[in-house]
C-alpha cells in the first residue's frame, strides 16, 4: 500500500518524503490535538522548542509533509510556487546547487540524510520559513484555510478517532445474594442492639454490691 499522503505528491510529479509513513503519524496527531491551530504551531514555534518535544527525524518529515501540502494548495489555486524564495542560508545553498529542483530535493530527501548534512535547528527553521511563505501567500490572496484547502485535504480532514473503550460492568447481585446480605445485616443489627441493652461487666458488679448492701441490716451501735 502507498504511504500515507502519497496521493498528495503524485500530481506534482515528485516522490513523497521518505519518512511519509512515520511523518503522517505526527502530522495527524498534532492535527487531532491542536485542530485549526496546528499549522501555526508547527511554523511559529521556535525550532529548539519543537526539537525538545519531538524526535528530529519525525519533526523534519512532518514539516516536509506540511510544505508539500502547502505548495500543492498554491498550485491548485493558481498562485505559482516559492521556488525563487531563499529565506535561509540552507535554502540559498540548495537553490544555488539545483536552481530548478531544490525544493523537490529538500522535500523528498530522507530526514536522516538531511539531518546528517545540515544543522538540525537551521534545517527545521528553513522548512518552517518556507511553509510560512506559503501560508502568508495563501492567506493574503484567499483568506482563511477553508477557502483554499478542500474538505478532503490533509490540512483540514480530521483523523478518525478510535472508538471509546467500554469499561466492563459489574454483575448485578442475584436475589439470593440480596437475601443473604439482608439476613446478615439483620443478625448483626440484633447483636448490636443486645450489646447496647446489656450492662457492662463493671456496671453489673457495682449494681450487685449496691443491692447486697441495701439488703443487709445495719450493724448495731456499740454501747
Amino acid at each position: 500500500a502507498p504511504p500515507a499522503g502519497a496521493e498528495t505528491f503524485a500530481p506534482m510529479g515528485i516522490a513523497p518524503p521518505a519518512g511519509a509513513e512515520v511523518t503522517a503519524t505526527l502530522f495527524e496527531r498534532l492535527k487531532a490535538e491542536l485542530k485549526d491551530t496546528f499549522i501555526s504551531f508547527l511554523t511559529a514555534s521556535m525550532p529548539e522548542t519543537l526539537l525538545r518535544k519531538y524526535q528530529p527525524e519525525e519533526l523534519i518529515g512532518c514539516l516536509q509533509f506540511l510544505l508539500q501540502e502547502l505548495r500543492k494548495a498554491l498550485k491548485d489555486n493558481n498562485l505559482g510556487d516559492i521556488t525563487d524564495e531563499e529565506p535561509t542560508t540552507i535554502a540559498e545553498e540548495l537553490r544555488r546547487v539545483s536552481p530548478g529542483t531544490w525544493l523537490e530535493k529538500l522535500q523528498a530527501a530522507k530526514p536522516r540524510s538531511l539531518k546528517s548534512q545540515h544543522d538540525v535547528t537551521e534545517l527545521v527553521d528553513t522548512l518552517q520559513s518556507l511553509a510560512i511563505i506559503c501560508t502568508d501567500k495563501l492567506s493574503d490572496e484567499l483568506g482563511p484555510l477553508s477557502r483554499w484547502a478542500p474538505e478532503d485535504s490533509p490540512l483540514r480532514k480530521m483523523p478518525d478517532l478510535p472508538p471509546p473503550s467500554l469499561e466492563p460492568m459489574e454483575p448485578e447481585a442475584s436475589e439470593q445474594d440480596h437475601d443473604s446480605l439482608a439476613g446478615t445485616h439483620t443478625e448483626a443489627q440484633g447483636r448490636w442492639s443486645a450489646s447496647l441493652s446489656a450492662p457492662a461487666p463493671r456496671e453489673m458488679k457495682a449494681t450487685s454490691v449496691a443491692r447486697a448492701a441495701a439488703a443487709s441490716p445495719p450493724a448495731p451501735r456499740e454501747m
Side-chain angles (χ1 to χ4, degrees), residues 65-147:
F65 186 82
L66 174 63
L67 182 57
Q68 286 280 25
E69 285 295 328
L70 293 172
R71 287 185 64 214
K72 181 177 183 296
L74 287 174
K75 181 179 179 180
D76 291 345
N77 289 280
N78 300 315
L79 293 178
D81 203 350
I82 58 169
T83 309
D84 296 334
E85 300 289 346
E86 297 177 355
T88 66
T89 303
I90 292 178
E92 183 179 354
E93 179 185 343
L94 292 173
R95 184 169 181 261
R96 179 178 56 82
V97 174
S98 304
T101 59
W102 71 276
L103 274 173
E104 282 74 12
K105 290 182 177 180
L106 173 63
Q107 293 167 155
K110 292 183 178 180
R112 181 175 299 180
S113 175
L114 290 173
K115 189 179 74 168
S116 67
Q117 296 173 20
H118 306 284
D119 178 81
V120 178
T121 302
E122 292 182 8
L123 177 62
V124 170
D125 180 58
T126 297
L127 291 167
Q128 287 180 304
S129 299
L130 292 168
I132 288 174
I133 293 172
C134 291
T135 55
D136 286 349
K137 194 171 184 179
L138 288 161
S139 299
D140 291 344
E141 295 290 337
L142 302 173
L145 174 66
S146 59
R147 294 187 180 180

Side-chain angles (χ1 to χ4, degrees), residues 209-223:
V209 172
R211 286 176 179 171
S216 301
R221 292 184 178 181
E222 293 183 4
M223 299 298 293

